[in-house]
Amino acid sequence: MKKIKNYIKGVFEVYCREFKLILHDQGLILFLTFLPLAYPVIYSLIYNPELVKDVPMVVIDSDRTSLTRELVRELDACDQVRVIGYAADLPEARKAMDNHDCFSILEIPTGFTKTVGRGETGAAALYCDMSLLLRYRGFLVASTNVMQEMGGELLSKDINNIAPLVSTISTGDLMPINNVSLGNIRNGFDSFIMPGVLILILQQCIILALGMAGGARHERAAVVGYNPHNNSNSVIGTMIGKALCYFTILALPIIFLVHYVPLIFSFPMAGNVLEELAFLTPMVLASMGVGFVFQAFVTERESVFVSWVVTSIFFLLVSGLIWPRYDMPSVWKFLSGLCPATWGVEGFVKMNSNGAGLWQVKEEYEMLWILAAGWWVAAWCIQRWVVLPAAGQRSSRKSKINDKALSQSVIDK
């Protein structure tokens, strides 16, 4: 019992000293509190609102027929487009776009109606301002829907001309299709990507905060009166004490990320919050293990900011958000499987957007626990044979330098 009490006491002392380091270090406070609270809001505001409506368009109608006028009316009736007028030629339309009076130009060539009347494909050019991809998406969806609808109407007219009695056999759509996007009812880009980005932000904050702490405990010891080693008698006890400290600080930011950010920006919230927090627990542990490993490569706090840029791109690439994992080569798929956020993104999106329960993300949940165990074993090895010996060598060098300076001052006196 005495050994157990001493072990718990050592873990608690590490826990308290780690708190002291964090409270006196503005960089750590930034990574652990400000970034998890501010970054999701900033990223969400970039694509808010998710859908754009009535974006101005200018039309160049060189054909001037009833069919082209109907095409323009159909486009103007769409939610995404508002036709503000006609232009005589392309330079005039481009002048309107340069002045930001419109963000798209539809050019209908001469002979468009005759080409369609011969049963051939009529081509119309659509020019878009690419400064905002949401506008481009709206123009593309509206023009595609209108073209398909008008093409279907023209095809049905041709069929009726060939076989007039066909219209008496059936009326209406024989196979009506109702498109419902599960998990993203509004088809918004923000609702699609932000639930996954929230998990990536959480992982990055944890890894980089632990990395910065590894450099800060050596650089700022004289300023905060912090023991550079901050170790208990056990390496794993030291890691547990620090992990509990970070868990305590990150509790509120994690709840904010998981529940309040989707609530503020009306993201999908089909899952159970408690189950989502239970699912993210092994991901947080695995991210801490990566952070402990990362301490072996961080000797200065400033180097963390360079790592932020490099690793953010890599983790986003392998997360499956912009590059599906099933389409990755074997090497990239293996690397993505080693990242806690990869499985965290897959499971969290299923739970938060599609309402999956914890038992329905069993594969992702088990992989996160396996990664947590694997990264903690690797972290123990790194801390035991790399980080602690390096810290001891730096400490001995500093003591030798101080002794040498002290002896020199005595000689001078």
Side-chain angles (χ1 to χ4, degrees):
M1 290 299 297
K2 185 177 181 180
K3 290 182 179 180
I4 295 175
K5 290 181 180 179
N6 291 333
Y7 185 87
I8 296 175
K9 181 180 178 182
V11 171
F12 182 71
E13 289 176 353
V14 171
Y15 174 90
C16 295
R17 286 196 297 263
E18 197 70 18
F19 249 115
K20 186 177 181 181
L21 170 65
I22 293 172
L23 293 177
H24 288 80
D25 195 300
Q26 296 178 355
L28 291 175
I29 294 176
L30 176 72
F31 276 119
L32 292 174
T33 57
F34 178 75
L35 288 185
L37 298 177
Y39 254 56
V41 176
I42 295 173
Y43 274 102
S44 301
L45 287 174
I46 292 175
Y47 295 101
N48 188 33
E50 298 185 73
L51 302 176
V52 291
K53 296 185 177 181
D54 293 332
V55 183
M57 170 188 282
V58 168
V59 178
I60 305 171
D61 190 356
S62 301
D63 203 36
R64 295 288 180 172
T65 62
S66 60
L67 180 64
T68 58
R69 287 192 292 269
E70 182 184 357
L71 172 61
V72 175
R73 286 195 299 268
E74 293 286 344
L75 279 173
D76 190 41
C78 295
D79 291 338
Q80 299 90 342
V81 180
R82 177 169 60 90
V83 178
I84 62 174
Y86 289 84
D89 50 21
L90 189 58
E92 182 181 349
R94 292 191 63 176
K95 184 177 179 180
M97 183 177 286
D98 293 337
N99 294 332
H100 298 290
D101 295 329
C102 69
F103 296 96
S104 178
I105 301 171
L106 177 65
E107 185 180 16
I108 304 174
T110 304
F112 178 83
T113 303
K114 291 182 179 179
T115 303
V116 174
R118 290 194 301 265
E120 300 175 2
T121 302
L126 180 67
Y127 304 93
C128 297
D129 181 0
M130 298 295 290
S131 59
L132 183 62
L133 291 178
L134 288 177
R135 286 197 289 259
Y136 167 74
R137 177 182 177 274
F139 288 129
L140 185 62
V141 170
S143 60
T144 302
N145 291 340
V146 169
M147 291 293 186
Q148 288 181 345
E149 183 177 352
M150 292 187 65
E153 293 176 356
L154 293 172
L155 182 61
S156 63
K157 289 180 181 179
D158 292 339
I159 294 175
N160 289 332
N161 292 331
I162 297 172
L165 295 179
V166 172
S167 60
T168 63
I169 298 175
S170 63
T171 57
D173 191 354
L174 295 178
M175 294 183 62
I177 298 175
N178 187 17
N179 183 21
V180 179
S181 300
L182 298 177
N184 188 1
I185 299 175
R186 295 186 296 176
N187 286 323
F189 182 77
D190 214 2
S191 295
F192 161 69
I193 198 170
M194 276 309 298
V197 172
L198 295 178
I199 306 303
L200 289 170
I201 291 174
L202 177 60
Q203 176 189 262
Q204 286 294 84
C205 290
I206 295 173
I207 294 175
L208 298 176
L210 265 70
M212 179 174 282
R217 67 177 187 171
H218 301 297
E219 293 186 2
R220 298 178 62 85
V223 177
V224 300
Y226 172 74
N227 181 4
H229 300 284
N230 188 22
N231 300 323
S232 67
N233 295 329
S234 169
V235 176
I236 190 64
T238 301
M239 295 169 59
I240 292 174
K242 293 180 180 180
L244 290 174
C245 175
Y246 289 106
F247 254 121
T248 305
I249 297 174
L250 286 170
L252 291 179
I254 291 175
I255 296 174
F256 177 77
L257 281 171
V258 173
H259 182 68
Y260 287 101
V261 171
L263 185 65
I264 293 171
F265 294 98
S266 301
F267 296 153
M269 294 183 64
N272 183 282
V273 178
L274 295 179
E275 289 188 351
E276 291 172 355
L277 293 175
F279 173 79
L280 292 178
T281 299
M283 199 215 79
V284 173
L285 286 173
S287 300
M288 289 182 180
V290 178
F292 285 128
V293 173
F294 188 51
Q295 288 183 352
F297 308 98
V298 179
T299 57
E300 298 178 354
R301 299 186 326 135
E302 290 76 10
S303 60
V304 171
F305 294 97
V306 180
S307 304
W308 172 277
V309 178
V310 177
T311 56
S312 295
I313 298 174
F314 171 77
F315 286 131
L316 178 62
L317 181 66
V318 301
S319 65
L321 284 174
I322 59 177
W323 186 9
R325 293 190 71 242
Y326 61 81
D327 195 42
M328 293 181 182
S330 300
V331 175
W332 283 101
K333 196 170 184 179
F334 173 76
L335 291 176
S336 69
L338 296 178
C339 301
T342 300
W343 304 100
V345 167
E346 288 189 9
F348 182 73
V349 169
K350 291 178 182 179
M351 298 178 71
N352 187 68
S353 300
N354 296 323
L358 191 60
W359 61 274
Q360 293 174 304
V361 291
K362 180 181 178 181
E363 179 184 358
E364 291 83 0
Y365 194 51
E366 291 177 350
M367 283 301 304
L368 285 174
W369 280 113
I370 293 173
L371 282 179
W375 278 113
W376 271 71
V377 171
W380 182 87
C381 297
I382 291 292
Q383 295 288 323
R384 174 66 178 81
W385 288 299
V386 178
V387 175
L388 293 181
Q393 292 176 3
R394 281 192 290 269
S395 179
S396 62
R397 283 199 299 267
K398 288 181 180 179
S399 62
K400 289 181 181 179
I401 293 173
N402 293 334
D403 294 341
K404 185 177 180 180
L406 180 61
S407 61
Q408 184 65 37
S409 64
V410 172
I411 294 173
D412 293 339
K413 289 182 179 180

